[in-house]
Amino acid sequence: MSLSLSAEKPDVPDDAADGVWLECIDCAETFAPFEDVRYTCDACDSLLEVRYADLPTFDDFEGRGVWRYADALPLESGVSVQEGATPLYEVPRLEEEIGLEALRIKHEGMNPTGSFKDRGMTVGVAVATELGADRLACASTGNTSAALAAYGSRGGMETLVLLPAGKVAAGKIAQASLHGARILEVDGNFDACLDIVQELAGQGEAYLLNSLNPFRLEGQKTIGLEILEGFRDDYGAFPDRIVLPVGNAGNTSALYKAFRELVQAGELDRDEVPKLTGVQAEGAAPMVEAIENGANEVRRWDDVETRATAIRIGNPVNAPKALPGIRETDGTAISVSDEEITVAQRTLAAEGIGVEPASAASVAGLRKLRAEGIVADDERVACLTTGHLLKDPDAAAAAGNDPEPVPAETSGVLEHLAE
Ligand code: F0G
């Protein structure tokens, strides 16, 4: 099975370029990486992965940010706005409340456009340049569109984003707009937007930069590499578990790929691989349903709803990569209510960490899994927070304190404070 944790070295196909090729996760058909535009397998239409003849060890990494890991990426450099190298915050109060040996928050909201999408875009836009693309496109719940707009313009390309009308947080639309994307508001949900943009890309209208694009996930692997290096430096050991919000399951797939490559390179023992633990909102939880039912396929949910609009997704395209990731690492998946998400958002804010609702799902899920005894108290855990508080100012204002009107004089302010 191609998606298992194995130390076996792959056979290098003739179509590899500098030791890099694309391979189908189902039928193992291989393709040259940069000759033609291709998102899925020509033979069976399944998902593709980037594969390498030589995998790096931790000693090979140097520098800071995503491109520190160039030896684990398909190109040596890319269109960059200094993405990656995000903080791995200590949260002593939350660690004690949840009751864990160690808890850290990997805050991806500290990337240049405020989400982890920048890591995928720096690599994806570089590949688009390599392929000679002049127009980039994505469907998005918001963050991908902000990152695509920023990295696309920096790379001198036209950008097109398809967003579900009325369901994208204000900060994200503002970013896509100012960074110069053409914003197409679709009368449908994210999954409908993705169907359309895949058809547009298939017809050669634009280069697709959703997480279906295997190159984007290469950039997102670096989240896992940074977390592992961070824990090793601070605790002398890797984390036992990584908890993350799940939408299209791109990060789940990317982190699993990072672990598989480290196992293959002899840098990580099988029993050291962190348990991938996915969290979805109750109103959009098809991955959780598949894990709970032991299913090999995810059922598409046509009606999805959650305040965490970033993960309001009913058809996770990377499920065939992510399901083995959760299972092979002995992880799990759980859903949380919008109320539990809001509570977790406040808890993180009380530690000085401002995140958008989807991000807080990871902490809400961890809290629930601890309460259910599924996560043990001697575990070292990393929670991924994927986007910044300012992405969704309306959700932040609704979850936080209301402003209090006061008169424009000190005595009036004092009177108000004394009330
Ligand atoms: N958290 C945030 C803040 C996101 O924006 C997304 C996805 C996810 C989590 C889910 O990550 O897809 O890797 O499981 N946002 C996409 C977008 C869909 O269009 O911005 P995943």
Side-chain angles (χ1 to χ4, degrees):
M1 206 183 80
S2 73
L3 292 192
S4 60
L5 287 160
S6 153
E8 220 175 287
K9 302 274 179 282
D11 294 329
V12 182
D14 292 341
D15 33 20
D18 289 330
V20 179
W21 69 97
L22 288 170
E23 188 166 320
C24 174
I25 65 163
D26 270 336
C27 75
E29 183 75 30
T30 60
F31 305 95
F34 308 124
E35 276 178 23
D36 306 302
V37 172
R38 175 181 288 106
Y39 312 103
T40 52
C41 177
D42 293 11
C44 75
D45 211 29
S46 190
L47 300 175
L48 297 175
E49 262 191 352
V50 182
R51 296 275 163 90
Y52 303 88
D54 297 306
L55 289 166
T57 62
F58 281 114
D59 286 342
D60 293 319
F61 302 140
E62 55 180 358
R64 197 179 146 77
V66 167
W67 295 99
R68 165 178 174 75
Y69 305 100
D71 285 350
L73 299 174
L75 294 169
E76 274 165 25
S77 61
V79 176
S80 172
V81 201
Q82 298 186 22
E83 50 293 319
T86 54
L88 187 63
Y89 291 124
E90 289 180 275
V91 278
R93 281 183 305 224
L94 186 55
E95 182 180 85
E96 197 185 327
E97 180 237 309
I98 295 186
L100 284 167
E101 170 82 21
L103 174 62
R104 289 294 188 95
I105 305 294
K106 181 67 172 168
H107 193 15
E108 287 297 298
M110 301 298 279
N111 272 297
T113 78
S115 86
F116 67 91
K117 306 286 182 180
D118 297 346
R119 293 182 188 263
M121 284 306 165
T122 185
V123 176
V125 173
V127 172
T129 309
E130 189 80 17
L131 288 164
D134 49 20
R135 178 150 76 166
L136 311 176
C138 71
S140 183
T141 56
N143 283 322
T144 304
S145 71
L148 180 84
Y151 283 78
S153 355
R154 193 167 172 90
M157 285 171 251
E158 203 187 320
T159 54
L160 192 61
V161 305
L162 280 78
L163 309 181
K167 296 292 182 183
V168 176
K172 305 174 188 182
I173 299 184
Q175 289 179 290
S177 164
L178 187 60
H179 286 301
R182 284 187 69 181
I183 302 172
L184 306 185
E185 280 192 326
V186 176
D187 180 20
N189 62 23
F190 167 80
D191 303 294
C193 295
L194 187 56
D195 289 344
I196 297 169
V197 82
Q198 269 182 258
E199 279 167 18
L200 292 177
Q203 292 172 22
E205 288 292 327
Y207 184 67
L208 179 75
L209 275 170
N210 280 98
S211 56
L212 187 69
N213 184 316
F215 295 109
R216 236 196 63 189
L217 296 186
E218 292 304 291
Q220 290 173 214
K221 277 191 323 200
T222 62
I223 302 173
L225 297 171
E226 281 183 16
I227 292 176
L228 263 53
E229 286 188 319
F231 270 70
R232 189 199 52 190
D233 293 349
D234 292 352
Y235 301 105
F238 297 129
D240 299 300
R241 187 183 297 273
I242 297 179
V243 185
L244 74 167
V246 174
N248 261 323
N251 277 331
T252 316
S253 309
L255 291 180
Y256 182 46
K257 188 164 192 283
F259 304 156
R260 276 158 49 215
E261 291 179 352
L262 288 171
V263 169
Q264 212 183 307
E267 285 291 83
L268 189 65
D269 288 337
R270 255 220 73 144
D271 59 9
E272 287 179 313
V273 174
K275 297 175 170 63
L276 282 172
T277 302
V279 186
Q280 293 194 297
E282 278 173 0
M287 281 284 292
V288 176
E289 180 182 69
I291 289 291
E292 282 175 355
N293 296 340
N296 283 326
E297 277 180 20
V298 170
R299 181 178 68 90
R300 179 176 179 142
W301 288 22
D302 287 324
D303 294 312
V304 280
E305 201 48 88
T306 168
R307 208 179 292 162
T309 51
I311 51 172
R312 188 174 170 274
I313 294 173
N315 185 33
V317 287
N318 289 299
K321 293 177 174 176
L323 287 174
I326 291 174
R327 292 193 173 120
E328 297 281 315
T329 62
D330 291 325
T332 187
I334 191 169
S335 62
V336 292
S337 69
D338 279 2
E339 187 49 38
E340 287 165 331
I341 288 174
T342 302
V343 171
Q345 202 186 6
R346 287 193 195 111
T347 311
L348 282 165
E351 296 263 22
I353 302 171
V355 306
E356 67 165 289
S359 303
S362 59
V363 169
L366 175 64
R367 208 178 233 153
K368 209 161 164 177
L369 288 166
R370 263 299 286 145
E372 291 175 4
I374 295 166
V375 173
D377 60 3
D378 61 356
E379 287 191 27
R380 287 179 306 272
V381 180
C383 264
L384 197 62
T385 55
T386 42
H388 198 276
L389 175 154
L390 291 172
K391 289 283 192 172
D392 193 343
D394 298 323
N401 294 339
D402 292 332
E404 303 165 46
V406 291
E409 51 187 357
T410 309
S411 59
V413 172
L414 284 171
E415 241 168 68
H416 177 83
L417 287 175
E419 269 170 23

